[in-house]
Amino acid sequence: MQTKTVKVTQDIKKDEYIYEEAGRILREGGLVAFPTETVYGLGGNGLDPDASRKIYAAKGRPSDNPLILHIADKEMLYDIAENVSDKAEKLIDTFWPGPLTMVFKKADKVPSTTTGGLDSVAVRMPSHPVAVAMIRAAGVPIAAPSANVSGRPSPTLAKHVVEDMDGRIEMILDGGNIAIGIESTIVDMTSAPPVILRPGYITKTMLEEVAGEVSLDPTLLVKPTEDLRPRAPGMKYRHYAPKAELTLYEGSIDKVASVIWKQALEKMAENRRVAVIATKESKVVYDKLVSEAESAGKIQPNDNKIDFILLGSRQDEESIARNLYAVLRECDEKAVDYIYSETFSLDNFGQAIMNRLRKAAGYNIINLND
Ligand code: AMP
Ligand code: MG
């Protein structure tokens, strides 16, 4: 299949003919990838079981992992979801359109292929103007998981979508950079109190300010086991993973940087390629360690096989989230054997970042706290 990649601007009127084409493809059962404020999505008609099957096939996604339905207005919600509570209405009024997905009892018209066989349905109203225009043009709820091959980091640039989906889908809408960079918060509204199934930009505190008590699926930051299974079927899979072995080091910046540096030097001596994921703050420490090693003649300036990849600033959590997946993909591109990274706070938005990073590392974490 020939995949058509089209650049779109924020000027929806000017690009109207593109949305007409995307809408037609979707109504006819084809697939279109598109930007949202969280990550790029892989869209298909959420009411068409064949379109859902195509999504699972294009991604290589297990069919028990349900898809989120994306809508452009509230009327669409009442068409696909039942028992929308007052609490849910409050959350909708505050956070929609935006990076919050809510799980409701599903209406009969939603095919069970879309919901991975569950009798509930996950729904989100994205705020990205391109996503909104595309859903409106299609006129149906759009089932859209992240537009990556299953198990790979989610796409935050159109070029990531091209890498994973070229030849597998009809169209890619290239809307440039993504604002948030990690997937939406998912809250199960079918239980009391509501339960966070996946942490995201909308935090527990933000939800509780609006809707009262909200609990957290206890599996979100630890390795799932037979006895402790995540309630969102997709969260049990090894998501977001780069190809190299990723190890996380917890502790003070100085301690973490010196242990990672030592570890990286050992691997370099074995002729292995290493990437170190650094922040603006730790980079200062690494630079010092590198120049000390050079002055001591331990390494030559040009035979350094260690790549320092800048993730963002610890002072700006949003920069860390926005760059995380692109950095993991960059490590893949550089075909490194080992990746080492520092960790981040588990508070607020940090919880979502660490949920993704810990999964990417397959829970391979070394604690250097005293
Ligand atoms: P993705 O679309 O790749 O961001 O993944 C969607 C996530 O939403 C997966 O972890 C799914 O398991 C989860 N999800 C979708 N629908 C439901 C549902 N009805 N109940 C619980 N989790 C859901
Ligand atoms: Mg995904």
Side-chain angles (χ1 to χ4, degrees), residues 39-40 59 61 65 144-155 183 198 234 239-240 325:
V39 300
Y40 273 79
K59 280 181 63 84
R61 179 173 173 119
N65 188 358
S146 48
N148 51 288
V149 164
S150 238
R152 293 210 71 201
S154 297
E183 303 84 349
R198 178 172 74 184
H239 265 67
Y240 321 120
Y325 290 137

Side-chain angles (χ1 to χ4, degrees), residues 61 65-68 103 118 120-122 144-146 183 186 197-198 232-235:
R61 179 173 173 119
N65 188 358
L67 308 174
I68 295 172
V103 175
L118 298 178
S120 59
V121 61
S146 48
E183 303 84 349
I186 304 180
L197 305 183
R198 178 172 74 184
M235 298 298 276

Side-chain angles (χ1 to χ4, degrees), residues 264-278:
L265 279 180
E266 273 173 31
K267 295 294 178 198
M268 197 181 97
E270 294 165 13
N271 233 350
R272 310 304 292 270
R273 283 200 71 102
V274 177
V276 175
I277 297 179

